[in-house]
Amino acid sequence: MKELDCLFVYPGAPAGKKNLLPIMPAGLLAMAAYLERNSVSAAIISLPSALDGEFDLPGIIRERRVKLVCIPAHWHRQAGGALRLAEQLKRAVPGVRIALGGYTASRFAAEILKEHPAVDFVVRGDGELPLLKLLGSLGTGGRSLGRVPNLAWRGKEGVTLNRTSYAAGSATLTGLGLAGLRFVLNRRLTPRRGICFEDGMFTYVQARGCADNCSACGGGRDAQRRMCGRRGVALKSPASVVRDFAELAAMGIKEIQLPLNPLPSDAYYIALLKLLMKKKLRPVLKIELCGLPSGKLLKWLGRALGPESKITIFAGSGSEKIRRLNRGRFYTNAGLMAALRLASRLGVKAWTAFTTGLPFETRRDFLATAALVRRMRREFKIGRSGVYVFSLEPGSPLFEDPEKYGVTLRRRTLKDFLAQRGKYDMGYSTACFTEREIVRNLKFLEKTAR
Ligand code: SF4
C-alpha cells in the first residue's frame, strides 16, 4: 500500500454525544490540497459520515506508515472528540505523531500540550505552510521544530509556542479551489452530514478572517489576530468561487451555503452574483449576512438566484441599543424592516436570526426583541425570524475581557470547555440574567417566532 505522509481525521462529537456541529472544518480540504501541491501526500477521513467498519484507523496508520495524524479541534464542542481520538490512536499506535489545530486548539495550545501527552503538536491558526514545514522537520528528526511557523510543541525545556507568522492569503486560497475534495477517502462523498454538508447544503467557505469584532464571536478580527496571527481578511476571488460552484454542480451539488460574511461591504457578493448570471449558473444559495443587505445586493439576489435561495441576517438583539453595543455592523430596526420589505417585493427569501443573553441586555431589551419578532410575524404573515442562544466561545471579546462586558464566566480553561453538556450549557451569565433565565427567555422567543 502507498505510503501516506499526512492523515487528517475529523472525529465529530465525542462518542455517544449528539454532534451539535456536524460539518467538517473546511480548512482540512485546503491543507490537504496545499500539501499535495507541494509533493506531500495527504488524505482526509470524516468519521461521522463513515460507513460501519469503513476505516480501521490504526491499521491505516501502520500499513501506510503515516508520518503525522492531524485532528481538528476547531469549534469548542469538538475539542473533547479530538482529544479522545488522539488518545485512542496513541494507545493503538504508540509511535504515531499527532497534531491538533483549529480555533479552540489555537487558543488553548499550551494547555493541550501540558495536559494531554497524546498530542505532540498544536498548529495555531492557518496550517498549510506550518504542516508542510513540520513534516519536513520530522523527516530530519525534528531538529528544526523551532523554525516551524505557528507551531506549538513539547521539547526538553517544556512547551514552546513559535511565533504565529503565517496566515494563508487570498491567492493561496483562490488557487486551492476545491482540489481538497479529491483527498477525502470516505466512499459516500455527498452525505447529508459529516463532510462539508449541513442540512443537505454544501458549506462553501469563501474567506478567512473577519473585519469586525462582535462581542460573542470567537472568529472575529482580534481573536484571529491574537490566536492565529491573522491580520486582515483573505478572500477567494469571485471568479474562482464561480468556477468552484460549476465544479460542484457537475458533481450534482446545487445547494450551497455561504457562511458569515467577513467584510462589511456588499461589493464582493454583487460581483459574485453578476458572474453567476454571466455563466448562467443558478445554484440554490443560502447566504449568511452579519450586516444588513443593501438595496443593490437584494436586487442582484432577486435577479441572479432562484426562488429556493435565501439570506439569513444575523441581527443579534431586537433592541438597537444592544445591537450597537455587541455587533460590529450596526443598523436600525427601521432599516431592517425596510430591507425585509424590499426582499419580499423582489422575491428574495429573507430570514432574521435573533439571540438573547447578549451582554448589557435588560428585560426591556429582551421585550424589544419579542416585540420585533411579533411585528415581523404580523407584517409578513409567515415566520421570518428564528432565535438562538450562543454558548461562550473561547477567544471571543467577552471571553477575553468579561469585566468590560459585565458578564460572569463559568468557563475559563480548556478543562471547563470539555465539561460542557448540551446546547443550553452556555458557560456565562450577564449582569441582568442567569443562564437559566437566558434559556427561559430563549424559549419564550422561540414560541413568539413560531
Ligand atoms: S459575527 Fe460575523 S461580523 Fe461579527 S465578528 Fe463574527 S464573523 Fe465577524
Side-chain angles (χ1 to χ4, degrees), residues 210 212-214 217 220 260 290 327 329:
C210 180
D212 279 295
N213 224 13
C214 303
C217 181
L260 304 177
C290 295
R327 305 284 300 177
R329 300 168 202 174

